[in-house]
mmCIF file of all heavy atoms in Angstrom:
data_model
loop_
_atom_site.group_PDB
_atom_site.id
_atom_site.type_symbol
_atom_site.label_atom_id
_atom_site.label_comp_id
_atom_site.label_asym_id
_atom_site.label_seq_id
_atom_site.Cartn_x
_atom_site.Cartn_y
_atom_site.Cartn_z
ATOM 1 N N ILE A 12 -11.922 -0.418 4.072
ATOM 2 C CA ILE A 12 -12.217 -0.684 5.478
ATOM 3 C C ILE A 12 -13.284 -1.768 5.597
ATOM 4 O O ILE A 12 -13.209 -2.654 6.451
ATOM 5 C CB ILE A 12 -12.678 0.606 6.193
ATOM 6 C CG1 ILE A 12 -11.519 1.604 6.269
ATOM 7 C CG2 ILE A 12 -13.189 0.297 7.595
ATOM 8 C CD1 ILE A 12 -10.298 1.109 7.014
ATOM 9 N N GLY A 13 -14.282 -1.734 4.712
ATOM 10 C CA GLY A 13 -15.288 -2.792 4.705
ATOM 11 C C GLY A 13 -14.680 -4.140 4.385
ATOM 12 O O GLY A 13 -15.022 -5.152 5.011
ATOM 13 N N ARG A 14 -13.756 -4.159 3.419
ATOM 14 C CA ARG A 14 -13.089 -5.417 3.072
ATOM 15 C C ARG A 14 -12.227 -5.923 4.216
ATOM 16 O O ARG A 14 -12.187 -7.118 4.506
ATOM 17 C CB ARG A 14 -12.228 -5.197 1.812
ATOM 18 C CG ARG A 14 -11.721 -6.489 1.178
ATOM 19 C CD ARG A 14 -10.363 -6.307 0.554
ATOM 20 N NE ARG A 14 -9.378 -5.886 1.540
ATOM 21 C CZ ARG A 14 -8.821 -6.698 2.421
ATOM 22 N NH1 ARG A 14 -9.156 -7.981 2.457
ATOM 23 N NH2 ARG A 14 -7.932 -6.249 3.288
ATOM 24 N N ALA A 15 -11.534 -4.990 4.908
ATOM 25 C CA ALA A 15 -10.689 -5.379 6.044
ATOM 26 C C ALA A 15 -11.530 -5.974 7.166
ATOM 27 O O ALA A 15 -11.117 -6.936 7.825
ATOM 28 C CB ALA A 15 -9.917 -4.161 6.549
ATOM 29 N N ALA A 16 -12.713 -5.405 7.389
ATOM 30 C CA ALA A 16 -13.597 -5.933 8.434
ATOM 31 C C ALA A 16 -14.061 -7.343 8.104
ATOM 32 O O ALA A 16 -14.201 -8.192 8.990
ATOM 33 C CB ALA A 16 -14.796 -5.006 8.619
ATOM 34 N N GLU A 17 -14.278 -7.592 6.812
ATOM 35 C CA GLU A 17 -14.716 -8.926 6.399
ATOM 36 C C GLU A 17 -13.586 -9.942 6.453
ATOM 37 O O GLU A 17 -13.829 -11.150 6.462
ATOM 38 C CB GLU A 17 -15.274 -8.853 4.978
ATOM 39 C CG GLU A 17 -16.579 -8.056 4.887
ATOM 40 C CD GLU A 17 -17.036 -7.853 3.454
ATOM 41 O OE1 GLU A 17 -16.299 -8.305 2.546
ATOM 42 O OE2 GLU A 17 -18.105 -7.261 3.252
ATOM 43 N N ALA A 18 -12.339 -9.446 6.499
ATOM 44 C CA ALA A 18 -11.179 -10.334 6.494
ATOM 45 C C ALA A 18 -10.880 -10.917 7.871
ATOM 46 O O ALA A 18 -9.991 -11.752 8.003
ATOM 47 C CB ALA A 18 -9.952 -9.593 5.972
ATOM 48 N N THR A 19 -11.588 -10.467 8.889
ATOM 49 C CA THR A 19 -11.332 -10.953 10.242
ATOM 50 C C THR A 19 -12.638 -11.106 11.008
ATOM 51 O O THR A 19 -13.617 -10.403 10.732
ATOM 52 C CB THR A 19 -10.412 -9.982 11.015
ATOM 53 O OG1 THR A 19 -10.221 -10.468 12.344
ATOM 54 C CG2 THR A 19 -11.015 -8.581 11.080
ATOM 55 N N GLU A 20 -12.631 -12.034 11.949
ATOM 56 C CA GLU A 20 -13.782 -12.190 12.833
ATOM 57 C C GLU A 20 -13.570 -11.446 14.145
ATOM 58 O O GLU A 20 -14.443 -11.435 15.003
ATOM 59 C CB GLU A 20 -14.032 -13.680 13.111
ATOM 60 C CG GLU A 20 -14.415 -14.470 11.860
ATOM 61 C CD GLU A 20 -14.683 -15.931 12.162
ATOM 62 O OE1 GLU A 20 -14.483 -16.337 13.340
ATOM 63 O OE2 GLU A 20 -15.087 -16.659 11.243
ATOM 64 N N GLU A 21 -12.413 -10.819 14.290
ATOM 65 C CA GLU A 21 -12.118 -10.071 15.505
ATOM 66 C C GLU A 21 -12.962 -8.795 15.568
ATOM 67 O O GLU A 21 -13.321 -8.218 14.544
ATOM 68 C CB GLU A 21 -10.640 -9.690 15.562
ATOM 69 C CG GLU A 21 -9.690 -10.875 15.579
ATOM 70 C CD GLU A 21 -8.239 -10.433 15.562
ATOM 71 O OE1 GLU A 21 -7.976 -9.246 15.877
ATOM 72 O OE2 GLU A 21 -7.372 -11.246 15.215
ATOM 73 N N ARG A 22 -13.259 -8.360 16.787
ATOM 74 C CA ARG A 22 -13.999 -7.107 16.942
ATOM 75 C C ARG A 22 -13.132 -5.918 16.572
ATOM 76 O O ARG A 22 -13.611 -4.930 16.019
ATOM 77 C CB ARG A 22 -14.486 -6.964 18.395
ATOM 78 C CG ARG A 22 -15.258 -5.662 18.647
ATOM 79 C CD ARG A 22 -15.868 -5.634 20.038
ATOM 80 N NE ARG A 22 -16.563 -4.376 20.268
ATOM 81 C CZ ARG A 22 -16.012 -3.301 20.815
ATOM 82 N NH1 ARG A 22 -14.721 -3.332 21.177
ATOM 83 N NH2 ARG A 22 -16.700 -2.194 20.990
ATOM 84 N N VAL A 23 -11.814 -6.021 16.860
ATOM 85 C CA VAL A 23 -10.880 -4.939 16.575
ATOM 86 C C VAL A 23 -10.233 -5.185 15.215
ATOM 87 O O VAL A 23 -9.585 -6.211 15.003
ATOM 88 C CB VAL A 23 -9.798 -4.828 17.670
ATOM 89 C CG1 VAL A 23 -8.820 -3.716 17.336
ATOM 90 C CG2 VAL A 23 -10.446 -4.586 19.028
ATOM 91 N N VAL A 24 -10.419 -4.258 14.292
ATOM 92 C CA VAL A 24 -9.820 -4.372 12.962
ATOM 93 C C VAL A 24 -8.449 -3.704 13.000
ATOM 94 O O VAL A 24 -8.310 -2.567 13.463
ATOM 95 C CB VAL A 24 -10.719 -3.718 11.897
ATOM 96 C CG1 VAL A 24 -10.100 -3.865 10.513
ATOM 97 C CG2 VAL A 24 -12.116 -4.350 11.923
ATOM 98 N N ARG A 25 -7.434 -4.423 12.510
ATOM 99 C CA ARG A 25 -6.057 -3.977 12.657
ATOM 100 C C ARG A 25 -5.436 -3.599 11.317
ATOM 101 O O ARG A 25 -5.983 -3.892 10.247
ATOM 102 C CB ARG A 25 -5.228 -5.085 13.327
ATOM 103 C CG ARG A 25 -5.791 -5.506 14.675
ATOM 104 C CD ARG A 25 -5.069 -6.711 15.257
ATOM 105 N NE ARG A 25 -5.662 -7.101 16.513
ATOM 106 C CZ ARG A 25 -5.350 -6.569 17.692
ATOM 107 N NH1 ARG A 25 -4.393 -5.630 17.742
ATOM 108 N NH2 ARG A 25 -5.950 -6.957 18.791
ATOM 109 N N ALA A 26 -4.261 -2.992 11.391
ATOM 110 C CA ALA A 26 -3.580 -2.540 10.177
ATOM 111 C C ALA A 26 -3.252 -3.695 9.245
ATOM 112 O O ALA A 26 -3.316 -3.556 8.018
ATOM 113 C CB ALA A 26 -2.307 -1.779 10.553
ATOM 114 N N GLU A 27 -2.926 -4.851 9.804
ATOM 115 C CA GLU A 27 -2.557 -5.981 8.955
ATOM 116 C C GLU A 27 -3.735 -6.530 8.158
ATOM 117 O O GLU A 27 -3.550 -7.337 7.242
ATOM 118 C CB GLU A 27 -1.915 -7.100 9.789
ATOM 119 C CG GLU A 27 -2.741 -7.549 10.972
ATOM 120 C CD GLU A 27 -2.315 -6.858 12.267
ATOM 121 O OE1 GLU A 27 -1.904 -5.677 12.198
ATOM 122 O OE2 GLU A 27 -2.388 -7.509 13.331
ATOM 123 N N HIS A 28 -4.940 -6.106 8.486
ATOM 124 C CA HIS A 28 -6.105 -6.555 7.727
ATOM 125 C C HIS A 28 -6.298 -5.741 6.446
ATOM 126 O O HIS A 28 -7.114 -6.106 5.605
ATOM 127 C CB HIS A 28 -7.363 -6.465 8.598
ATOM 128 C CG HIS A 28 -7.311 -7.369 9.794
ATOM 129 N ND1 HIS A 28 -7.749 -6.995 11.050
ATOM 130 C CD2 HIS A 28 -6.842 -8.637 9.935
ATOM 131 C CE1 HIS A 28 -7.568 -7.985 11.901
ATOM 132 N NE2 HIS A 28 -7.020 -8.988 11.247
ATOM 133 N N LEU A 29 -5.569 -4.649 6.293
ATOM 134 C CA LEU A 29 -5.629 -3.868 5.062
ATOM 135 C C LEU A 29 -4.881 -4.584 3.953
ATOM 136 O O LEU A 29 -3.879 -5.269 4.186
ATOM 137 C CB LEU A 29 -4.990 -2.482 5.262
ATOM 138 C CG LEU A 29 -5.707 -1.489 6.165
ATOM 139 C CD1 LEU A 29 -4.816 -0.276 6.389
ATOM 140 C CD2 LEU A 29 -7.040 -1.065 5.569
ATOM 141 N N SER A 30 -5.356 -4.415 2.723
ATOM 142 C CA SER A 30 -4.606 -4.913 1.580
ATOM 143 C C SER A 30 -3.328 -4.099 1.443
ATOM 144 O O SER A 30 -3.332 -2.881 1.672
ATOM 145 C CB SER A 30 -5.430 -4.777 0.290
ATOM 146 O OG SER A 30 -6.666 -5.443 0.405
ATOM 147 N N GLU A 31 -2.247 -4.746 1.040
ATOM 148 C CA GLU A 31 -0.963 -4.042 0.969
ATOM 149 C C GLU A 31 -1.014 -2.847 0.027
ATOM 150 O O GLU A 31 -0.493 -1.788 0.331
ATOM 151 C CB GLU A 31 0.134 -5.001 0.521
ATOM 152 C CG GLU A 31 1.505 -4.338 0.441
ATOM 153 C CD GLU A 31 2.592 -5.305 0.012
ATOM 154 O OE1 GLU A 31 2.528 -6.474 0.409
ATOM 155 O OE2 GLU A 31 3.490 -4.872 -0.733
ATOM 156 N N GLY A 32 -1.664 -2.995 -1.108
ATOM 157 C CA GLY A 32 -1.680 -1.913 -2.084
ATOM 158 C C GLY A 32 -2.825 -0.936 -1.914
ATOM 159 O O GLY A 32 -2.897 0.059 -2.648
ATOM 160 N N ALA A 33 -3.721 -1.197 -0.954
ATOM 161 C CA ALA A 33 -4.877 -0.322 -0.789
ATOM 162 C C ALA A 33 -4.434 1.076 -0.373
ATOM 163 O O ALA A 33 -3.548 1.250 0.449
ATOM 164 C CB ALA A 33 -5.826 -0.892 0.264
ATOM 165 N N GLY A 34 -5.072 2.077 -0.965
ATOM 166 C CA GLY A 34 -4.762 3.446 -0.601
ATOM 167 C C GLY A 34 -3.543 4.007 -1.291
ATOM 168 O O GLY A 34 -3.166 5.151 -1.039
ATOM 169 N N SER A 35 -2.926 3.232 -2.175
ATOM 170 C CA SER A 35 -1.744 3.694 -2.902
ATOM 171 C C SER A 35 -2.074 3.799 -4.375
ATOM 172 O O SER A 35 -2.947 3.091 -4.884
ATOM 173 C CB SER A 35 -0.565 2.729 -2.713
ATOM 174 O OG SER A 35 -0.241 2.609 -1.333
ATOM 175 N N ALA A 36 -1.373 4.683 -5.062
ATOM 176 C CA ALA A 36 -1.599 4.847 -6.492
ATOM 177 C C ALA A 36 -1.160 3.591 -7.227
ATOM 178 O O ALA A 36 -0.133 2.992 -6.896
ATOM 179 C CB ALA A 36 -0.826 6.053 -7.018
ATOM 180 N N PRO A 37 -1.932 3.134 -8.238
ATOM 181 C CA PRO A 37 -1.507 1.953 -8.993
ATOM 182 C C PRO A 37 -0.214 2.215 -9.743
ATOM 183 O O PRO A 37 0.068 3.335 -10.151
ATOM 184 C CB PRO A 37 -2.672 1.725 -9.966
ATOM 185 C CG PRO A 37 -3.342 3.052 -10.072
ATOM 186 C CD PRO A 37 -3.171 3.707 -8.726
ATOM 187 N N ALA A 38 0.576 1.179 -9.897
ATOM 188 C CA ALA A 38 1.856 1.318 -10.606
ATOM 189 C C ALA A 38 1.606 1.613 -12.078
ATOM 190 O O ALA A 38 0.648 1.112 -12.672
ATOM 191 C CB ALA A 38 2.668 0.019 -10.471
ATOM 192 N N PRO A 39 2.426 2.467 -12.700
ATOM 193 C CA PRO A 39 2.272 2.742 -14.139
ATOM 194 C C PRO A 39 2.335 1.457 -14.949
ATOM 195 O O PRO A 39 3.108 0.553 -14.638
ATOM 196 C CB PRO A 39 3.458 3.660 -14.452
ATOM 197 C CG PRO A 39 3.850 4.242 -13.133
ATOM 198 C CD PRO A 39 3.558 3.193 -12.110
ATOM 199 N N ARG A 40 1.553 1.379 -16.033
ATOM 200 C CA ARG A 40 1.489 0.152 -16.825
ATOM 201 C C ARG A 40 2.824 -0.187 -17.481
ATOM 202 O O ARG A 40 3.155 -1.340 -17.655
ATOM 203 C CB ARG A 40 0.416 0.288 -17.904
ATOM 204 C CG ARG A 40 -0.990 0.319 -17.350
ATOM 205 C CD ARG A 40 -2.011 0.369 -18.478
ATOM 206 N NE ARG A 40 -3.362 0.375 -17.964
ATOM 207 C CZ ARG A 40 -4.447 0.411 -18.737
ATOM 208 N NH1 ARG A 40 -4.308 0.450 -20.059
ATOM 209 N NH2 ARG A 40 -5.652 0.415 -18.202
ATOM 210 N N ARG A 41 3.583 0.836 -17.850
ATOM 211 C CA ARG A 41 4.809 0.584 -18.604
ATOM 212 C C ARG A 41 6.038 0.584 -17.703
ATOM 213 O O ARG A 41 7.155 0.594 -18.166
ATOM 214 C CB ARG A 41 4.983 1.656 -19.678
ATOM 215 C CG ARG A 41 3.873 1.638 -20.725
ATOM 216 C CD ARG A 41 4.139 2.657 -21.811
ATOM 217 N NE ARG A 41 3.091 2.667 -22.820
ATOM 218 C CZ ARG A 41 3.077 3.469 -23.873
ATOM 219 N NH1 ARG A 41 4.073 4.330 -24.067
ATOM 220 N NH2 ARG A 41 2.083 3.428 -24.739
ATOM 221 N N SER A 42 5.829 0.595 -16.428
ATOM 222 C CA SER A 42 6.979 0.680 -15.524
ATOM 223 C C SER A 42 6.721 -0.161 -14.300
ATOM 224 O O SER A 42 5.593 -0.336 -13.858
ATOM 225 C CB SER A 42 7.224 2.136 -15.107
ATOM 226 O OG SER A 42 8.213 2.201 -14.095
ATOM 227 N N ALA A 43 7.776 -0.725 -13.746
ATOM 228 C CA ALA A 43 7.650 -1.496 -12.516
ATOM 229 C C ALA A 43 7.625 -0.593 -11.303
ATOM 230 O O ALA A 43 7.529 -1.064 -10.184
ATOM 231 C CB ALA A 43 8.816 -2.483 -12.415
ATOM 232 N N GLY A 44 7.679 0.711 -11.498
ATOM 233 C CA GLY A 44 7.676 1.645 -10.383
ATOM 234 C C GLY A 44 8.759 2.689 -10.573
ATOM 235 O O GLY A 44 9.431 2.731 -11.614
ATOM 236 N N PRO A 45 8.943 3.553 -9.589
ATOM 237 C CA PRO A 45 9.957 4.597 -9.708
ATOM 238 C C PRO A 45 11.363 4.010 -9.765
ATOM 239 O O PRO A 45 11.642 2.977 -9.153
ATOM 240 C CB PRO A 45 9.736 5.435 -8.434
ATOM 241 C CG PRO A 45 9.094 4.493 -7.477
ATOM 242 C CD PRO A 45 8.225 3.602 -8.303
ATOM 243 N N GLY A 46 12.225 4.679 -10.493
ATOM 244 C CA GLY A 46 13.601 4.216 -10.595
ATOM 245 C C GLY A 46 14.468 4.759 -9.474
ATOM 246 O O GLY A 46 14.006 5.485 -8.598
ATOM 247 N N ARG A 47 15.741 4.391 -9.525
ATOM 248 C CA ARG A 47 16.666 4.774 -8.466
ATOM 249 C C ARG A 47 16.718 6.287 -8.265
ATOM 250 O O ARG A 47 16.654 6.795 -7.135
ATOM 251 C CB ARG A 47 18.061 4.246 -8.797
ATOM 252 C CG ARG A 47 19.127 4.594 -7.732
ATOM 253 C CD ARG A 47 20.512 4.428 -8.321
ATOM 254 N NE ARG A 47 20.740 3.058 -8.781
ATOM 255 C CZ ARG A 47 21.317 2.121 -8.058
ATOM 256 N NH1 ARG A 47 21.709 2.392 -6.827
ATOM 257 N NH2 ARG A 47 21.520 0.916 -8.543
ATOM 258 N N GLU A 48 16.862 7.037 -9.394
ATOM 259 C CA GLU A 48 17.006 8.486 -9.274
ATOM 260 C C GLU A 48 15.748 9.130 -8.706
ATOM 261 O O GLU A 48 15.826 10.046 -7.874
ATOM 262 C CB GLU A 48 17.339 9.093 -10.639
ATOM 263 C CG GLU A 48 18.712 8.699 -11.157
ATOM 264 C CD GLU A 48 19.044 9.395 -12.461
ATOM 265 O OE1 GLU A 48 18.216 10.194 -12.935
ATOM 266 O OE2 GLU A 48 20.135 9.139 -13.006
ATOM 267 N N GLU A 49 14.570 8.651 -9.141
ATOM 268 C CA GLU A 49 13.321 9.212 -8.636
ATOM 269 C C GLU A 49 13.169 8.934 -7.140
ATOM 270 O O GLU A 49 12.732 9.797 -6.370
ATOM 271 C CB GLU A 49 12.138 8.628 -9.404
ATOM 272 C CG GLU A 49 10.815 9.321 -9.106
ATOM 273 C CD GLU A 49 9.681 8.791 -9.952
ATOM 274 O OE1 GLU A 49 9.931 7.894 -10.793
ATOM 275 O OE2 GLU A 49 8.544 9.268 -9.767
ATOM 276 N N ILE A 50 13.524 7.733 -6.722
ATOM 277 C CA ILE A 50 13.465 7.384 -5.300
ATOM 278 C C ILE A 50 14.419 8.264 -4.502
ATOM 279 O O ILE A 50 14.073 8.787 -3.440
ATOM 280 C CB ILE A 50 13.800 5.893 -5.099
ATOM 281 C CG1 ILE A 50 12.667 5.018 -5.658
ATOM 282 C CG2 ILE A 50 14.025 5.586 -3.620
ATOM 283 C CD1 ILE A 50 12.997 3.545 -5.675
ATOM 284 N N ALA A 51 15.634 8.438 -5.027
ATOM 285 C CA ALA A 51 16.626 9.243 -4.313
ATOM 286 C C ALA A 51 16.165 10.688 -4.172
ATOM 287 O O ALA A 51 16.323 11.306 -3.106
ATOM 288 C CB ALA A 51 17.968 9.179 -5.049
ATOM 289 N N ARG A 52 15.557 11.243 -5.232
ATOM 290 C CA ARG A 52 15.062 12.613 -5.163
ATOM 291 C C ARG A 52 13.937 12.741 -4.141
ATOM 292 O O ARG A 52 13.880 13.712 -3.381
ATOM 293 C CB ARG A 52 14.573 13.066 -6.543
ATOM 294 C CG ARG A 52 15.683 13.361 -7.540
ATOM 295 C CD ARG A 52 15.156 14.172 -8.716
ATOM 296 N NE ARG A 52 14.116 13.442 -9.443
ATOM 297 C CZ ARG A 52 14.348 12.629 -10.479
ATOM 298 N NH1 ARG A 52 15.596 12.434 -10.889
ATOM 299 N NH2 ARG A 52 13.360 12.023 -11.099
ATOM 300 N N ALA A 53 13.045 11.750 -4.129
ATOM 301 C CA ALA A 53 11.929 11.797 -3.184
ATOM 302 C C ALA A 53 12.423 11.707 -1.739
ATOM 303 O O ALA A 53 11.932 12.410 -0.852
ATOM 304 C CB ALA A 53 10.941 10.670 -3.479
ATOM 305 N N LEU A 54 13.399 10.855 -1.499
ATOM 306 C CA LEU A 54 13.956 10.728 -0.148
ATOM 307 C C LEU A 54 14.682 11.999 0.271
ATOM 308 O O LEU A 54 14.591 12.430 1.430
ATOM 309 C CB LEU A 54 14.909 9.529 -0.091
ATOM 310 C CG LEU A 54 14.243 8.147 -0.107
ATOM 311 C CD1 LEU A 54 15.279 7.061 -0.348
ATOM 312 C CD2 LEU A 54 13.518 7.890 1.219
ATOM 313 N N GLN A 55 15.390 12.598 -0.672
ATOM 314 C CA GLN A 55 16.096 13.840 -0.350
ATOM 315 C C GLN A 55 15.102 14.947 -0.024
ATOM 316 O O GLN A 55 15.283 15.699 0.942
ATOM 317 C CB GLN A 55 16.982 14.257 -1.521
ATOM 318 C CG GLN A 55 17.821 15.504 -1.237
ATOM 319 C CD GLN A 55 18.737 15.852 -2.397
ATOM 320 O OE1 GLN A 55 18.600 15.318 -3.491
ATOM 321 N NE2 GLN A 55 19.673 16.747 -2.161
ATOM 322 N N ALA A 56 14.029 15.043 -0.813
ATOM 323 C CA ALA A 56 13.013 16.074 -0.566
ATOM 324 C C ALA A 56 12.302 15.864 0.762
ATOM 325 O O ALA A 56 11.858 16.819 1.401
ATOM 326 C CB ALA A 56 11.995 16.083 -1.704
#
């Protein structure tokens, strides 16, 4: 939130001022992310 505030001179800080990956778990080092089956299971759940 501090970084987002510094990213704009506006008084109102908006969602687009957040970093895209902020607040999300880092991707595993050996993988580009979840695969098709894992995504499908998560969506089904």
